[in-house]
Amino acid sequence: MDRSSAFSEKDTKRFDEVEYISQSNASGEISELAVVAEGEDRTTLFVWLLVLCTSISGLLFGKCYILALVGVESYRECPASAGYDTGVISGALVTIGGDLGPAELSSGQKELITSSTTLGALLGGLVGGVLSDYLGRRPVLALADVIFIGGAIGQAVCHTVWSLIGGRFLIGWGVGLASCVAPLYIQELSPTRQRGRMVVLNVAAITGGQVVAYGIDAAFENTHGGWRWMVGLGAVPAAIQFGFLFLLPESPRVLIRRDDLEGAHAVMSKIYANATPEQIDLKTKVLAASVRKSIEIANTTTVLERWRLMLSDAINRRALIVGCGLQAFQQLCGFNTLMYYSATLFKEIGFNQPTAVGLIVSGTNFIFTLLALKYIDIIGRRKIMIFSAPGMVVGLVLASIAFHYLTIKTDGNLVDGTSYPRSWSAIVLLAMIFYVASYATGLGNVPWQQGELFGLEVRGIGTSLATTMNWGANLLIGSTYLSLMDAITPAGAFGFYAGLCLLGWIFCLCCFPETAGLSLEEVRMVFKHGFGIKESERLRREKRAILMKRTEKV
C-alpha cells in the first residue's frame, strides 16, 4: 500500500501545501520546515554516532597537522627558532636522518618532508568534492582512509628520504579528501537546527587530535626509532573509520539524486527517529522537491559546464566568494605563525618542556572549539565571526607591541640565548592565549560550514574550490613567513597579520550572511540579490514565526 494513503487529513493538507509551494516556486527550493517532525529539535543517537565516526577524519587531520607543524619548527634556521629543541619531532628528525641514510637531513629535505603533506592536501581538496558528486560522500571518505593507512604504513617502514616524502605526500591527499568531504557529508546528514554543531564536532576532533598527537609524540620522544611509531599509529583510527563506514548510510540528497527515494526515506527515518512515518514521508518528499532543480541541472550538464556555472551564475559566484574568502581568512590570519613561535616564547618565560607548549596552546584551541560547539547554532555563524574576529585583532596587536619592546636590545629579532624581560614575555603569552581562544571560537570552525553555501548541483565543486583555497593559503603562509620575519621583524609580522584579520572582519561584515537555521536549499536563495545579509535575517525571522505558529497549534 502506498504510504500516502495512510496520511491523516492534517498531513494530507500539509502535503498538498508542499506540492503547491514546490510547483509555484520557480527554483524548486522550499524549506523542510513545511513539515515539523516530532523530536526534530533533538539529535538522535544515530546522528551522534554517525558524526562521531565521520569525525575520525578530523582526528587524523589533527595528528598530521601536528607532525607537519612541529616538523617545521624543528628545522627553522633563523634567530627566532634556532633554539627550538622540541624533542617530539625535532628529536625524531635527527633519528630519521640516521635511519634514512644521511647522518643529518639537509634543510631542503626537511622542507620537502614538512611541506609535502600540505601540497598533497591541496590537490586532494581540489578533487575531493567533485569526486564525491560521482561516487558519493561515503566512498570518498573510505578512499581517504585507505590513503591514510597506506601513507602511514609507508612512512613507518621507509628507508630513504624520498620514500618518506612520498608517504607524507600520499597522506596529504587523504587529508585533503577528508577535509573537503567529511564536513559536507555531516551537513547533508544532520537536521537543519543541529547542522552547525555537528560540523563543529569534526573541528573539535581536529583540535582533539592535536592534543592526542602531542601526547603520543611525547611517549615516543626518547624511544629509538620512535618516529616510526608516531607516523605509523595514524593507520589505527583510519582503519577504525573504514570499518564503521560499512555501517553508515549515504547522504539522503545523494540518494535522491540517484532516484533512490526509498533509500533516502530509510536514512531520514533514522535522522528523525522520533517522527511518525507520515512525517518522515513528507520530509522526504519536501527534500526531493527542494533539490529537484539542482538534480535537473546536474543530470543535464557536464562537469565542465558546471564548473563554468560555478563562475558564470551570480548566485554560485557569490557563494564561492564567501566560501573561499572565509577559508583564506582562516589561513592568512597568522594562526600557524603564532604556533611556530609558541615553543620559543614559552621557553623564554621558564617553560622548558616543548610538550607543555603544545598542550597549552592546543588545549586552549580545543576548549574554545567546544564552546563554539554549544553556541554556533544558537548564536549563529555570522554573529560568532563578528564578535570573535576583533578579539583576534586585539591579541595580535598586543603580541606585536610586546614583541617590539621585548626585542629592542636585539634589533627587533628573537635571538637564542638572550635573556628577555619576563614581563613582556608574559604579555606575549597572554596575547597568544587570547588570540587562540578567539580563533577557536569563530574562525577555526565557521569556514568549514562551507558546504551549506552551495546548491546541490555545484556543492561538490564549490567545496573543492573552497578547500583548495584553504590549503593554498596554508602553503603560502608556510613558505613565506620566514622571509616576512626577516624583512619586517616579528613585531611587524604580527602587526601585518592583525591588519589581515581586520580586513577579514570587514569582509564578514559586508559579505557573510547568517545561515544558521536555514536548510541547505534555502541558503542558496539568500544569494539571489547580493550577498544577502538582510535577506538571510528576513528568512530566519519568517521561519521562526512559522515554527511558533505551528507549535502553538500543536
Side-chain angles (χ1 to χ4, degrees), residues 166-423:
R168 289 183 64 77
F169 179 70
L170 184 62
I171 274 192
W173 274 86
V175 170
L177 291 173
S179 64
C180 178
V181 178
L184 178 59
Y185 183 54
I186 292 170
Q187 284 178 323
E188 293 187 342
L189 280 161
S190 301
T192 297
R193 297 177 211 170
Q194 305 290 329
R195 189 175 66 239
R197 68 172 58 182
M198 295 297 102
V199 174
V200 174
L201 265 179
N202 187 62
V203 180
I206 294 174
T207 58
Q210 294 170 9
V211 177
V212 171
Y214 277 119
I216 292 175
D217 295 348
F220 291 101
E221 177 179 350
N222 298 314
T223 303
H224 178 69
W227 68 272
R228 296 188 184 277
W229 288 97
M230 295 178 193
V231 297
L233 284 175
V236 176
I240 293 174
Q241 184 184 63
F242 184 80
F244 274 120
L245 284 175
F246 287 96
L247 306 176
L248 299 182
E250 184 53 88
S251 160
R253 288 169 173 81
V254 172
L255 293 173
I256 290 174
R257 184 173 174 176
R258 295 172 177 171
D259 202 27
D260 185 5
L261 292 179
E262 287 298 322
H265 181 277
V267 176
M268 295 289 278
S269 66
K270 293 179 180 178
I271 296 173
Y272 300 100
N274 299 312
T276 65
E278 292 78 12
Q279 290 170 340
I280 297 297
D281 267 323
L282 291 174
K283 278 281 187 186
T284 306
K285 292 179 185 296
V286 167
L287 180 59
S290 65
V291 300
R292 181 173 56 196
K293 185 178 179 181
S294 294
I295 293 174
E296 290 174 358
I297 294 174
N299 291 338
T300 57
T301 57
T302 64
V303 175
L304 182 59
E305 288 172 335
R306 288 198 293 278
W307 275 89
R308 291 174 180 170
L309 186 65
M310 188 78 247
L311 299 175
S312 63
D313 182 79
I315 295 176
N316 294 334
R317 189 168 59 248
R318 294 182 189 115
L320 184 63
I321 290 172
V322 173
C324 289
L326 288 174
Q327 290 288 17
F329 183 15
Q330 185 185 75
Q331 289 300 326
L332 298 178
C333 69
F335 178 74
N336 286 339
T337 301
L338 196 61
M339 294 283 281
Y340 295 150
Y341 269 99
S342 61
T344 293
L345 295 175
F346 274 78
K347 183 179 180 181
E348 294 298 337
I349 62 174
F351 287 86
N352 296 317
Q353 295 297 323
T355 302
V357 176
L359 286 175
I360 290 175
V361 176
S362 63
T364 300
N365 195 7
F366 179 65
I367 291 170
F368 280 87
T369 299
L370 294 181
L371 183 68
L373 173 66
K374 179 174 177 60
Y375 291 108
I376 192 168
D377 284 315
I378 299 174
I379 298 176
R381 288 78 151 137
R382 174 180 166 83
K383 287 182 179 178
I384 280 184
M385 286 297 296
I386 298 303
F387 292 146
S388 63
M392 297 167 57
V393 176
V394 171
L396 288 171
V397 169
L398 184 60
S400 178
I401 294 172
F403 265 122
H404 172 74
Y405 287 101
L406 185 72
T407 60
I408 286 179
K409 64 180 180 180
T410 54
D411 295 325
N413 293 312
L414 285 172
V415 178
D416 186 43
T418 303
S419 178
Y420 292 104
R422 291 292 181 87
S423 57

Side-chain angles (χ1 to χ4, degrees), residues 1-19:
M1 182 178 67
D2 186 71
R3 288 190 181 93
S4 60
S5 63
F7 291 169
S8 66
E9 182 178 351
K10 180 178 179 180
D11 284 330
T12 300
K13 289 181 179 179
R14 190 177 294 168
F15 177 67
D16 291 339
E17 178 185 359
V18 169
E19 287 294 304

Side-chain angles (χ1 to χ4, degrees), residues 56-240:
I56 293 176
S57 294
L59 183 69
L60 293 166
F61 181 10
K63 171 68 176 173
C64 289
Y65 172 80
I66 288 301
L67 290 174
L69 177 62
V70 185
V72 169
E73 287 181 342
S74 68
Y75 79 87
R76 298 301 187 190
E77 296 180 352
C78 65
S81 56
Y84 278 0
D85 194 16
T86 51
V88 183
I89 297 298
S90 61
L93 281 177
V94 173
T95 307
I96 289 174
D99 287 354
L100 301 182
E104 183 178 350
L105 297 178
S106 68
S107 296
Q109 289 172 327
K110 293 176 182 177
E111 186 169 13
L112 284 173
I113 288 172
T114 53
S115 63
S116 55
T117 302
T118 303
L119 179 60
L122 188 153
L123 297 174
L126 181 62
V127 303
V130 180
L131 194 61
S132 73
D133 280 343
Y134 279 92
L135 301 180
R137 318 305 190 207
R138 189 178 62 166
V140 175
L141 277 179
L143 176 62
D145 286 327
V146 172
I147 293 174
F148 269 122
I149 295 171
I153 295 175
Q155 288 182 93
V157 301
C158 68
H159 293 284
T160 67
V161 174
W162 283 106
S163 61
L164 177 63
I165 292 171
R168 289 183 64 77
F169 179 70
L170 184 62
I171 274 192
W173 274 86
V175 170
L177 291 173
S179 64
C180 178
V181 178
L184 178 59
Y185 183 54
I186 292 170
Q187 284 178 323
E188 293 187 342
L189 280 161
S190 301
T192 297
R193 297 177 211 170
Q194 305 290 329
R195 189 175 66 239
R197 68 172 58 182
M198 295 297 102
V199 174
V200 174
L201 265 179
N202 187 62
V203 180
I206 294 174
T207 58
Q210 294 170 9
V211 177
V212 171
Y214 277 119
I216 292 175
D217 295 348
F220 291 101
E221 177 179 350
N222 298 314
T223 303
H224 178 69
W227 68 272
R228 296 188 184 277
W229 288 97
M230 295 178 193
V231 297
L233 284 175
V236 176
I240 293 174

